[in-house]
Amino acid sequence: MSELNEHQHHDIVGRLRDAGLRPTRQRVALADLLFSQGDRHVTAESLYDEALGQGVRVSLATIYNTLNQFTTSGLLREVVVDSGKSYFDTNTGAHQHVFNEDTGDIEDVQLSLDADELASRISVPAGHEITGVDVVVRLRRSS
Amino acid sequence: MSELNEHQHHDIVGRLRDAGLRPTRQRVALADLLFSQGDRHVTAESLYDEALGQGVRVSLATIYNTLNQFTTSGLLREVVVDSGKSYFDTNTGAHQHVFNEDTGDIEDVQLSLDADELASRISVPAGHEITGVDVVVRLRRSS
DNA sequence: GTCGGTGCAAACAGTTTGCAAATAA
DNA sequence: TTATTTGCAAACTGTTTGCACCGAC
């Protein structure tokens, strides 16, 4: 069972409320797993397994719903590194990723490249906006 | 029916042979669609529809097999822009992508950023190598 | 003739959804 | 009490695979 003291609990509940989400038992527990241990990268399955391991009773469908809601409300960011499954990052700030294709692990990196400057070199079609500039360095075990 | 003259046909057959792939009717037809009209980005479905539209008789399973074989043998490159489906690019050189999240369209761009330079700033774990540095600018209709 | 390729259908992985029961406010 | 949320199972999308038949060499 994940241990929440009054203080942590209120932080999380407030954060959910600020995002316009009801602090249900499941959302509070998942937000606790996600946000109380630094920057993380999860998939639906990895978060589900972790929740079960911590004794949090939650269904996989709710994991999916919650990850999507958290992403829509800005608490998470989706990282597209694999055409087969979705990854989510608790770090919503500007940064880049190193993706290990063998293990599926993602690491944040700060390449100190100016995404806005890159974006400014793109001719954006009228009525469109840039929603992000993603940089992924791919790693694999040397053959 | 796709029209192949002697010359084009030989180019394609040779290209398949060089890649270590038997020039079957299906592979020749798909390679023709892919490589005889400049740089392109396709999904399995889009290539399947196009093939059927051109009167090329081929199954979807073969489209998948062929796209994977072409990618493995270096004729194509996979572009990871969507966590739901795979995109393939006939341009295997160093370049970046602009992805329209509404339409699914991909465009090549040359941001003249030095991927090798970026890569050099990453601390690569022992026994690992960088397989690519992907840059994707995401676009969406302005809200 | 041999070995690899193809097509079909079934299997699969990941994700979404309809609906009844449960819960936050 | 009322509107949301949850959990389950079923549905769905994209992709892979087993196997009999077909085709390139």
Side-chain angles (χ1 to χ4, degrees):
Chain A
M1 199 43 167
S2 68
E3 308 286 338
L4 298 190
N5 65 34
E6 284 296 295
H7 180 65
Q8 291 171 322
H9 191 273
H10 279 140
D11 278 359
I12 290 167
V13 168
R15 196 155 173 184
L16 290 174
R17 287 225 162 86
D18 290 349
L21 299 170
R22 279 197 193 178
T24 63
R25 177 177 59 74
Q26 291 85 336
R27 293 209 271 235
V28 173
L30 295 179
D32 178 45
L33 290 178
L34 289 170
F35 304 121
S36 57
Q37 40 184 310
D39 292 339
R40 310 195 54 192
H41 304 90
V42 302
T43 61
E45 271 294 324
S46 78
L47 183 59
Y48 182 54
D49 292 345
E50 183 179 347
L52 293 191
Q54 303 283 322
V56 174
R57 296 188 313 95
V58 63
S59 71
L60 188 52
T62 296
I63 296 278
Y64 276 106
N65 289 335
T66 302
L67 286 173
N68 288 332
Q69 290 158 170
F70 282 13
T71 300
T72 299
S73 53
L75 262 32
L76 291 176
R77 158 173 305 188
E78 187 181 357
V79 186
V80 180
V81 288
D82 186 306
S83 56
K85 68 176 83 155
S86 295
Y87 286 77
F88 298 88
D89 189 346
T90 60
N91 180 351
T92 57
H95 65 284
Q96 296 80 39
H97 295 105
V98 177
F99 179 59
N100 185 321
E101 300 183 321
D102 296 312
T103 63
D105 286 350
I106 299 180
E107 263 185 63
D108 286 351
V109 281
Q110 193 60 59
L111 288 174
S112 60
L113 63 76
D114 188 342
D116 290 335
E117 201 276 318
L118 283 187
S120 73
R121 299 191 220 160
I122 305 289
S123 58
V124 179
H128 289 255
E129 61 187 354
I130 290 176
T131 59
V133 178
D134 297 350
V135 179
V136 179
V137 178
R138 291 172 183 280
L139 246 49
R140 200 181 294 175
R141 255 188 302 279
S142 315
S143 42
Chain B
M1 195 49 166
S2 68
E3 307 287 337
L4 298 189
N5 63 35
E6 284 294 296
H7 181 65
Q8 291 172 324
H9 190 271
H10 279 141
D11 279 0
I12 290 168
V13 168
R15 196 156 174 184
L16 290 174
R17 287 225 162 87
D18 290 349
L21 299 170
R22 278 198 195 178
T24 63
R25 177 177 59 75
Q26 290 85 338
R27 293 208 272 236
V28 172
L30 295 178
D32 179 45
L33 289 178
L34 288 170
F35 304 121
S36 57
Q37 41 184 311
D39 293 338
R40 310 195 54 193
H41 304 90
V42 302
T43 62
E45 272 294 324
S46 78
L47 183 59
Y48 182 54
D49 292 344
E50 183 179 347
L52 292 192
Q54 302 285 321
V56 174
R57 297 187 310 97
V58 63
S59 71
L60 188 53
T62 295
I63 297 278
Y64 276 107
N65 289 335
T66 301
L67 286 173
N68 288 333
Q69 292 158 168
F70 282 13
T71 300
T72 300
S73 53
L75 262 31
L76 291 177
R77 157 172 302 186
E78 188 181 354
V79 186
V80 180
V81 288
D82 186 306
S83 56
K85 70 177 82 153
S86 296
Y87 286 77
F88 298 87
D89 190 347
T90 60
N91 180 350
T92 58
H95 65 283
Q96 296 79 40
H97 294 106
V98 176
F99 179 59
N100 186 321
E101 299 183 321
D102 295 312
T103 62
D105 285 349
I106 299 180
E107 263 185 63
D108 287 349
V109 280
Q110 193 61 59
L111 288 173
S112 60
L113 61 76
D114 189 341
D116 292 334
E117 202 277 316
L118 283 185
S120 72
R121 299 191 220 161
I122 304 289
S123 58
V124 179
H128 290 255
E129 60 185 356
I130 292 176
T131 59
V133 178
D134 297 350
V135 178
V136 178
V137 178
R138 290 172 183 281
L139 247 50
R140 201 180 296 175
R141 256 188 301 278
S142 314
S143 44

